[in-house]
Amino acid sequence: AQSVTQPDIHITVSEGASLELRCNYSYGATPYLFWYVQSPGQGLQLLLKYFSGDTLVQGIKGFEAEFKRSQSSFNLRKPSVHWSDAAEYFCAVVARGYQKVTFGIGTKLQVIP
Amino acid sequence: KAGVTQTPRYLIKTRGQQVTLSCSPISGHRSVSWYQQTPGQGLQFLFEYFSETQRNKGNFPGRFSGRQFSNSRSEMNVSTLELGDSALYLCASSLSGPGSLTDTQYFGPGTRLTVL
């Protein structure tokens, strides 16, 4: 069955530390891959997306993600976390040729001083 | 450019009632998608409309319905409300669809529905 998994429900990092949020998918063909962020009381904002080509994707707010076909993964990274990055992060996929988005369960990021 | 707007922002209903939520997309966007967000189930796709036609539908009962008007504004209706329908309902708009290679899906702030 098609699915997207975010293994970490909650992550705590210190401000200034590096961050990696994991995302794995299970689809027949490589889907389109996205990372969104949701701040408290807000809608979702797109951080970055991958369709094809260069496997390292740069996004907004200093985030990047790396697509690894062999691991069916699309992990989100940031070298130095800021307190304002505290939010919930969602990995999402769209099967090629379709217009239906499937979201992971989300990873809530807490940033401590 | 104005963002995606959703009205109302908060709504309280009782079981058995029906509710209509509204979404105004970004000007020029023709695709509107609806999502239900709950703590237990996360974000789930409800349906997507493009140029007044429903293109995709998620796995929700027939009590959940929607439509899109010629100006791309969309409404979502839930009939015979159940306690489990309490959720944040998000809509998102894009030029041609969430699976487009070239454009981005923009989300509204959501409507918080509470069913008592």
Side-chain angles (χ1 to χ4, degrees), chain A residues 50-66:
Chain A
Y50 173 79
F51 291 146
S52 63
D54 193 350
T55 57
L56 188 61
V57 181
Q58 300 298 321
I60 62 171
K61 303 186 180 193
F63 286 92
E64 66 179 25
E66 185 172 13

Side-chain angles (χ1 to χ4, degrees), chain A residues 42-96:
Chain A
Q42 310 267 327
L44 277 70
Q45 181 182 23
L46 179 69
L47 287 174
L48 45 79
K49 57 187 175 183
Y50 173 79
F51 291 146
S52 63
D54 193 350
T55 57
L56 188 61
V57 181
Q58 300 298 321
I60 62 171
K61 303 186 180 193
F63 286 92
E64 66 179 25
E66 185 172 13
F67 168 67
K68 291 185 177 179
R69 183 187 306 274
S70 61
Q71 298 177 19
S72 296
S73 68
F74 188 57
N75 295 348
L76 182 71
R77 301 194 297 241
K78 187 169 185 178
S80 178
V81 169
H82 188 262
W83 64 266
S84 60
D85 294 324
E88 192 156 18
Y89 293 80
F90 294 91
C91 180
V93 303
V94 175
R96 291 175 184 257

Side-chain angles (χ1 to χ4, degrees), chain A residues 32 34 36 38 41-46 49 51 88 90 94 96-105, chain B residues 9 35 37 40-43 45 48 55-56 88 90 97-105 107-109:
Chain A
Y32 302 143
F34 305 80
Y36 286 88
Q38 185 178 33
Q42 310 267 327
L44 277 70
Q45 181 182 23
L46 179 69
K49 57 187 175 183
F51 291 146
E88 192 156 18
F90 294 91
V94 175
R96 291 175 184 257
Y98 292 87
Q99 302 295 334
K100 172 184 171 181
V101 184
T102 300
F103 286 90
I105 197 68
Chain B
R9 291 292 310 277
Y35 302 88
Q37 185 176 23
Q41 300 294 320
L43 273 157
F45 172 79
E48 188 250 351
R55 287 198 298 192
N56 289 273
L88 180 67
L90 293 163
S100 165
L101 293 178
T102 55
D103 65 35
T104 294
Q105 189 170 216
F107 281 77

